[in-house]
Amino acid sequence: FMYGEDIDWCYRMKEVGWQIHYAPVTRIVHFRGESVKRSNINREAAFYGAMHLFVDKHFRNRYPYGAHWLINFGIFIAGNAARIRKIWLRIFWPLIDWIFIALIIAGGRWTRWGNVGLNASVAFSIAVEATVWVLCLIGFGAYSSQRGQVRPLIWGMGLGFLINSSFTFFFKQFAYSRYVNIFALVVGTSAIWSWRAALSRLRTTIAWQRFYQRRTLIVGVGETGQKVINQLKMDKNSPYAPVGFIDPEETTIGSLIDDIPVLGGENDVSRLITQEEIEEVIFAYDEVNHNRVFEIVSKIGSQVKINFKIIDRNVVSESEGQIPLLSLEYLSPRRFGKSIRKISTLVVKR
């Protein structure tokens, strides 16, 4: 019930001939992921499991077996890709530190004896030593919410040094040099702290923000569109870099609004996305025409990989700081997933 119940409900309504309407007469704040955080529920398993249930419930006996199998296979691929990504995000920073420490240990050997003396035994001992340090850093929370603090780093590196130094007394094959261990402790701690501090500093620079900001078109030149631009300009951490406006009425094309040019009308959106290398489109109408929005999204989303956002006039008037935007997704997976969906659609139509 945690995922997919809204899709199932709406699908069943459509099946019996009912109409579905959006009524913006109230407001609900959804804290995404909070239920999962407070339980032992596996989000990926529940989310993609709900997709399988929906497909089996409504499509198993309605469409050919091949189409049903392809849809389930696409869900299987998407689910495993999400799990792999989650695992990768967890191990990325520990892996970077592991590489740093392993190189520093090798550097310590080089400064001590003039060469690393790399062979299978030495490579294994360096890997074990680096792994011990990273595990200690993990244990002291160096990759959790405390990752920006110095204390977990110092405690983790210190405990790792003690463990690695004790290996010599218990395991003769790990005859680590005290010099190399001290070198790795001092240089490793300094290096890891330095690159983290440098990265934190870099993230506050204008150059970094411009590099990571996404080139954005604002659809709507009225009061809502202008408020969106003003708030984006005031928010230094905004991920959006406004490139231009789209005027649905096409009466202000060629003019400037807050130094941002009006580049064209709604019929020009597809061309401007390619021409201006747009990555985001924000719909900021004073009066939202949902049919027109979905028409544009479905037309452009099938051609290019782009992110769409929409904002309500009342929300932008009341919001402070970061603008609350609603994502609109054209439900067509990219690359392999897109091919799977196209094939299954053709089979169903046959």
Side-chain angles (χ1 to χ4, degrees):
F1 181 76
M2 179 153 301
Y3 298 105
E5 72 282 356
D6 51 344
I7 302 175
D8 179 73
W9 196 16
C10 291
Y11 185 86
R12 289 159 60 191
M13 288 180 182
K14 295 287 288 186
E15 287 291 283
V16 297
W18 292 8
Q19 291 185 338
I20 301 169
H21 296 273
Y22 168 67
V25 294
T26 188
R27 182 176 304 170
I28 298 174
V29 179
H30 176 209
F31 294 96
R32 183 178 180 182
E34 288 301 314
S35 298
V36 175
K37 290 178 182 177
R38 301 182 184 187
S39 67
N40 58 356
I41 295 174
N42 185 317
R43 180 191 178 280
E44 282 70 29
F47 181 81
Y48 291 100
M51 290 187 182
H52 284 296
L53 287 174
F54 179 84
V55 171
D56 290 343
K57 178 179 179 180
H58 296 289
F59 301 154
R60 178 181 289 277
N61 299 320
R62 176 173 297 186
Y63 300 115
Y65 175 78
H68 174 260
W69 182 88
L70 282 173
I71 295 173
N72 270 321
F73 181 68
I75 296 171
F76 171 79
I77 294 296
N80 281 281
R83 293 183 185 96
I84 292 171
R85 180 178 181 273
K86 186 176 181 179
I87 293 172
W88 170 249
L89 291 176
R90 285 183 177 180
I91 69 172
F92 178 75
W93 293 115
L95 180 61
I96 293 295
D97 282 345
W98 187 93
I99 293 172
F100 261 98
I101 294 171
L103 292 175
I104 289 168
I105 295 171
R109 294 178 61 87
W110 183 81
T111 59
R112 177 69 175 84
W113 295 295
N115 63 80
V116 179
L118 191 62
N119 54 44
S121 177
V122 171
F124 178 71
S125 65
I126 290 175
V128 170
E129 194 171 1
T131 301
V132 168
W133 257 309
V134 170
L135 289 176
C136 290
L137 289 173
I138 293 174
F140 280 100
Y143 304 103
S144 64
S145 57
Q146 304 181 66
R147 60 182 175 269
Q149 300 179 16
V150 177
R151 182 178 296 178
L153 175 61
I154 294 176
W155 279 108
M157 292 298 291
L159 179 60
F161 170 76
L162 294 176
I163 294 174
N164 282 324
S165 297
S166 67
F167 274 1
T168 302
F169 300 98
F170 299 102
F171 306 100
K172 298 302 180 185
Q173 60 269 38
F174 295 105
Y176 295 139
S177 164
R178 286 190 295 272
Y179 171 85
V180 173
N181 270 342
I182 295 173
F183 180 91
L185 172 64
V186 176
V187 178
T189 303
S190 300
I192 293 175
W193 179 83
S194 296
W195 79 255
R196 290 188 179 194
L199 183 60
S200 298
R201 175 61 180 169
L202 181 62
R203 285 175 173 171
T204 63
T205 62
I206 296 177
W208 177 277
Q209 292 171 3
R210 287 178 177 174
F211 179 76
Y212 274 95
Q213 282 183 325
R214 298 188 288 275
R215 294 175 62 81
T216 303
L217 275 181
I218 309 296
V219 182
V221 296
E223 182 182 354
T224 304
Q226 294 179 40
K227 286 184 177 179
V228 168
I229 284 293
N230 290 333
Q231 292 202 25
L232 291 180
K233 286 184 175 181
M234 290 189 294
D235 184 3
K236 296 181 179 179
N237 297 318
S238 170
Y240 307 104
V243 173
F245 281 102
I246 294 296
D247 182 2
E249 303 297 329
E250 301 186 359
T251 58
T252 61
I253 296 176
S255 62
L256 294 175
I257 300 177
D258 287 336
D259 297 324
I260 305 294
V262 181
L263 299 176
E266 290 178 338
N267 294 327
D268 300 312
V269 172
S270 182
R271 172 182 62 82
L272 289 169
I273 286 174
T274 302
Q275 178 179 312
E276 301 293 337
E277 300 180 345
I278 299 300
E279 300 168 280
E280 299 275 347
V281 174
I282 297 178
F283 295 98
Y285 296 110
D286 286 339
E287 298 294 335
V288 179
N289 183 336
H290 291 92
N291 290 332
R292 181 56 179 156
V293 170
F294 292 133
E295 180 183 339
I296 295 173
V297 171
S298 61
K299 178 182 177 181
I300 299 173
S302 62
Q303 301 172 357
V304 295
K305 185 176 181 180
I306 198 80
N307 295 320
F308 298 96
K309 303 288 191 302
I310 188 170
I311 187 166
D312 182 79
R313 178 181 183 178
N314 296 324
V315 174
V316 73
S317 299
E318 299 173 7
S319 64
E320 296 181 2
Q322 188 174 8
I323 303 176
L325 297 169
L326 174 66
S327 293
L328 301 173
E329 297 184 7
Y330 178 75
L331 299 180
S332 177
R334 309 300 174 190
R335 302 183 181 91
F336 182 72
K338 184 176 182 179
S339 302
I340 291 293
R341 179 172 294 235
K342 281 188 174 181
I343 293 172
S344 62
T345 302
L346 290 174
V347 174
V348 169
K349 288 183 177 180
R350 293 292 183 186

